[in-house]
Amino acid sequence: MAGNGKSTSHVIDGMIGHGPAMTDVYRLTRQVASTSATVLLMGETGTGKELIARAVHELSPRASGPFIRVNCGALSESLLESELFGHVKGAFTSANENRTGRFEAAHGGTIFLDEINSMSYTLQVKLLRVLQEHEFERVGDTKTIHVDCRVVAATNRDLLDEIDANRFREDLYYRLNVVPIYLPPLRDRPEDIGALVAFFAKKYADANGRSIPQVPHDVITMLQAYSWPGNVRELQNYIERATVLCMNDLFTMDLFPSHVRGLAPMRISRVKAGGIQKMCSELVTLGMLEAGDAAQDIHERIVSLVEKEVLLQVLRTCQGTQTKAAVRLGINRNTLHKKIEDYGLDSEAR
């Protein structure tokens, strides 16, 4: 990412947003970067923890040194131990040569331990020693190695809950939690959505040789009303999708998934006892189902009704142009043509 152009001394390169929540993050990041203190980044997945970790490194006296990232949740205990501390030849079956670990590689710089909550109890003990003594041994070796690197850790879980569940060491928590920085979820900073949309729209328009699409106020309002469980990363994906599918340099609501628009179809399998009967009664009243329909036909009928409505709305948005509609729906044009015939939507298509 790149900055959003706001004229404030606190904005950090690579971050978007100027609301009070992010301003606090920027201020604290700049304050702690110039020190050697260990930093613990807390926040949901997709909130930008790695961007802040890089900022801590790049704004620090260690900026000329390496920045090493390790995803602790992506490796098994044995592989993570070797990845972090290295190993010597013959330490285990596949250890055919000596290997330098990530802590050694980070000497003079910063090591970013992402998903620290995933680390096993055994490795937590070794990490605690590195934090306290700045030393460790490679797997299979007795020689002690001393390192000088700053540790920035990140978690998407509440570590106090992990401590209560006996999954995380309390002493390690206090060693990591010297300076905690909390990254707010996107739903708690809707004022930043407009700037994020503008940034990603330009990014993906440039990448695809397209004109930068305009974003109407009603689209921004719609996006601000959504809860964004995947946070900025989820928004980024949907803006890329909308930019690719946009045909007239204007973002419209139909370019976004139905659940973002609050139109997600009901999941029939989750309807409780009595729910099916109530739903069917309402559809019969509306004339969308016959009173004598068999229960086994209900799912198919409702899916067809939803599909027909989606096709109708997209065709109208595309002014009946089947090629555009097929692209927006993500289906083959021949498939769309057959569905148009099946649902009798020929008058909406050209």
Side-chain angles (χ1 to χ4, degrees), residues 98-114:
N98 291 346
R99 179 178 180 180
T100 298
R102 295 298 184 95
F103 270 104
E104 285 181 80
H107 184 76
T110 303
I111 186 167
F112 173 47
L113 303 177
D114 200 4

Side-chain angles (χ1 to χ4, degrees), residues 239-258:
I239 297 303
E240 179 179 12
R241 162 185 164 151
T243 305
V244 170
L245 297 181
C246 184
M247 294 296 180
N248 55 3
D249 299 334
L250 181 70
F251 274 179
T252 52
M253 293 186 185
D254 64 284
L255 293 174
F256 295 88
S258 57

Side-chain angles (χ1 to χ4, degrees), residues 3-18 26 30:
N4 63 2
K6 292 287 176 182
S7 57
T8 168
S9 60
H10 290 307
V11 173
I12 290 175
D13 289 342
M15 298 297 292
I16 305 289
H18 57 276
Y26 303 149
R30 289 185 178 279

Side-chain angles (χ1 to χ4, degrees), residues 86-92 95-99 138-142:
H87 62 253
V88 295
K89 182 178 180 180
F92 45 85
N96 300 319
E97 58 185 4
N98 291 346
R99 179 178 180 180
R138 290 181 177 178
V139 177
D141 198 6
T142 57

